[in-house]
Amino acid sequence: MAEAFTNFLAGSPLNRLSWLRTSHSFLNAVVVSPATRWILFNGGQPLIASHPGTQKRSLALLTTEDVRPLLGAEPFFGQGEQEGQHCASDLPVLEAARVRGPSIVFLGLKETENSGNALPSSEFKDPHSAVAKLTGTPYFSADVADLDESKVNEAIENTELAKDGSTLTFVEPRAAMSSLDAYTAAIFAEARSMVDWNQRNKFCPACGSPVYSLWAGWKLSCTSLLPWADNTDRKPCPSGRGLHNFAHPRTDPVVIMLAIDESGEKVLLGRNKKFPGQFYSALAGFIEPGESFEDAVKREMWEEAGVKVWNVRYHSGQPWPYPANLMVGYYATADSSAPIRIDLDNELEDARWYTREEILAVLRHSSGTQFSRRDYKKIAEIQDGPDNNPASEKSEQSVEVNNNDEPPFRIPPPTAIAGVLIQHWAEKHQFQKWMRTGL
């Protein structure tokens, strides 16, 4: 079977070098490399650069010197009990540990074409020498939400990008997607999910103690397990034994599906009560325990629209870092003459069948898949709650839709897998190609 379609936010270009996440000697060497680049967030909002003299915006990629004032004292990884102290290298509870300062996530290495195969950990016995031979760009990420705002602003103002005239602003993450190309989008997806996980989880679920970062941001551990922790009159934390899924980053799978009628000429779209404007999309829902993806497709279609489906077929997947979902796309067949019911779980405001001609008309409309930053902000506030982040955009002008020429409804853009599913079906050649090859 041919390889599946690669969606926006997918297709990561990085070698994540996961076996080196425990090596603070490697990490402390690579983090100070002049080639290293950083993606900064503030409460999950990425730092975006608006470049002088153009309308172009892009993900701000900073150097370690740019962000050094925000990281705290060295060592950056493998921190000991006292500030500036290196921890022992043979203690599992201190592998690439950060016990002070913001959590830092090592995202991986963008290798050059001549980099060769992935580097084994044995090559890093002399880490500084090994890092000097690396060809490519290492990527790190951090969220500065817990740092002093004036300190963050000062550091940003002194970055090389700012000195060159770029305007740097933390932007609502869904709206920021329009500033990303395929390369940076895939790195952004990893970075945002990882910094969000580190920011959300501040306390041990087993005993309630604060947690600290291990494995370059890829593991959280209870502070009661630190060698210098005072656990007098305390029971041992249960997380000190065995494996625990809360210690590692999670991804929540979601099925997203497009029901096609038996003629192949109609699709079922729904309008969630939370959607802005006249927005319709493919139906979606979280996987529940004890069911397969195909089971979830059938259950969600019935619960949301009262529609029975069969012939469930996988299309493609998309990481969705809001905060850490994996969208798993499917087509399924349904009877368009059967009644639609939205009164079962009451998630939808409306659901209806649309013809290919109706969908194509929206796709061809200049505003058919366009959303303003205000729309994205509304979606974010509905899903995440009111935005109290002072870093939010205050002065940017939204790109508004022309209300004098409204399409009859809107559908998702091709940066979302829902838009891809709809567009591939509507454009017959794409759908027929997928039917033949799985692309």
Side-chain angles (χ1 to χ4, degrees):
M1 183 176 178
E3 186 175 346
F5 178 83
T6 300
N7 287 287
F8 194 70
L9 299 171
S12 174
L14 301 186
N15 178 351
R16 297 191 179 190
L17 297 174
S18 60
W19 55 93
L20 291 170
R21 292 171 184 161
T22 60
S23 171
H24 43 252
S25 58
F26 160 70
L27 293 163
N28 283 324
V30 78
V31 74
V32 296
S33 166
T36 291
R37 291 296 177 266
W38 288 76
I39 301 172
L40 282 194
F41 293 84
N42 192 328
Q45 297 185 338
L47 189 65
I48 297 294
S50 300
H51 301 286
T54 70
Q55 297 297 315
K56 184 181 178 182
R57 304 194 329 164
S58 64
L59 193 64
L61 299 177
L62 307 181
T63 67
T64 299
E65 288 306 306
D66 288 334
V67 302
R68 187 182 285 270
L70 307 175
L71 303 181
E74 295 187 57
F76 298 133
F77 299 96
Q79 296 174 338
E81 182 179 6
Q82 304 300 324
E83 184 172 299
Q85 179 183 18
H86 290 262
C87 70
S89 60
D90 58 349
L91 293 177
V93 295
L94 292 175
E95 290 175 329
R98 279 184 65 81
V99 296
R100 60 186 65 86
S103 295
I104 295 174
V105 179
F106 174 56
L107 302 173
L109 174 71
K110 175 59 175 75
E111 297 173 301
T112 65
E113 293 183 2
N114 299 322
S115 295
N117 296 326
L119 299 165
S121 56
S122 59
E123 292 192 21
F124 292 93
K125 292 178 180 178
D126 179 5
H128 289 280
S129 175
V131 167
K133 298 176 183 177
L134 281 180
T135 55
T137 306
Y139 283 89
F140 287 82
S141 190
D143 196 300
V144 298
D146 295 335
L147 300 182
D148 180 75
E149 183 180 356
S150 61
K151 186 176 183 180
V152 173
N153 291 338
E154 181 181 1
I156 290 174
E157 289 169 2
N158 287 308
T159 61
E160 289 302 316
L161 279 174
K163 291 177 181 178
D164 289 341
S166 294
T167 301
L168 303 180
T169 313
F170 290 106
V171 175
E172 197 288 313
R174 294 166 184 82
M177 287 168 59
S178 63
S179 303
L180 308 177
D181 56 26
Y183 172 85
T184 55
I187 302 174
F188 162 82
E190 177 190 356
R192 189 182 190 279
S193 287
M194 287 303 302
V195 297
D196 179 273
W197 178 71
N198 276 273
Q199 280 294 108
R200 284 176 185 264
N201 296 280
K202 299 296 182 73
F203 298 95
C204 174
C207 75
S209 298
V211 296
Y212 65 99
S213 172
L214 288 169
W215 296 7
W218 288 84
K219 185 177 181 179
L220 296 175
S221 183
C222 179
T223 50
S224 71
L225 303 180
L226 288 168
W228 53 84
D230 182 3
N231 293 316
T232 305
D233 298 327
R234 291 188 57 178
K235 292 182 179 180
C237 179
S239 69
R241 298 181 64 184
L243 295 175
H244 304 275
N245 61 357
F246 54 74
H248 304 278
R250 62 179 293 154
T251 295
D252 299 312
V254 176
V255 288
I256 183 163
M257 52 276 175
L258 196 64
I260 305 170
D261 82 330
E262 294 175 279
S263 73
E265 293 302 312
K266 294 180 181 179
V267 289
L268 180 69
L269 301 183
R271 173 171 166 73
N272 193 289
K273 294 178 180 179
K274 300 177 180 179
F275 288 165
Q278 285 296 101
F279 177 60
Y280 282 77
S281 184
L283 306 192
F286 286 96
I287 303 288
E288 292 190 351
E291 66 180 2
S292 67
F293 291 113
E294 292 82 1
D295 292 338
V297 169
K298 295 176 182 179
R299 175 182 55 77
E300 286 288 345
M301 288 297 300
W302 170 250
E303 290 177 354
E304 293 193 4
V307 171
K308 298 286 188 180
V309 298
W310 62 94
N311 192 24
V312 178
R313 293 149 292 162
Y314 173 76
H315 179 273
S316 60
Q318 181 184 39
W320 194 248
Y322 309 109
N325 301 130
L326 175 63
M327 310 301 291
V328 188
Y330 285 90
Y331 290 120
T333 304
D335 180 2
S336 60
S337 66
I340 293 174
R341 293 186 59 181
I342 58 173
D343 62 336
L344 297 176
D345 65 8
N346 289 298
E347 283 192 20
L348 299 183
E349 182 178 273
D350 186 30
R352 61 181 67 179
W353 290 94
Y354 287 100
T355 65
R356 192 183 306 274
E357 289 73 21
E358 289 174 311
I359 297 296
L360 286 172
V362 172
L363 287 171
R364 291 164 182 159
H365 195 285
S366 60
S367 302
T369 61
Q370 187 179 104
F371 291 85
S372 68
R373 295 192 188 113
R374 185 176 294 121
D375 288 332
Y376 284 120
K377 184 176 181 180
K378 180 180 178 181
I379 293 173
E381 289 180 347
I382 289 171
Q383 295 182 351
D384 305 332
D387 180 15
N388 298 316
N389 189 341
S392 297
E393 293 178 282
K394 299 175 182 178
S395 60
E396 284 201 14
Q397 296 295 317
S398 292
V399 178
E400 298 299 333
V401 174
N402 181 3
N403 292 324
N404 295 323
D405 184 24
E406 286 282 316
F409 59 96
R410 287 191 175 86
I411 57 178
T415 51
I417 188 174
V420 172
L421 291 171
I422 295 168
Q423 184 174 339
H424 279 197
W425 167 79
E427 297 173 353
K428 279 188 174 181
H429 67 282
Q430 287 281 10
F431 186 70
Q432 289 168 351
K433 179 182 178 183
W434 171 81
M435 289 287 288
R436 289 194 307 270
T437 67
L439 287 174

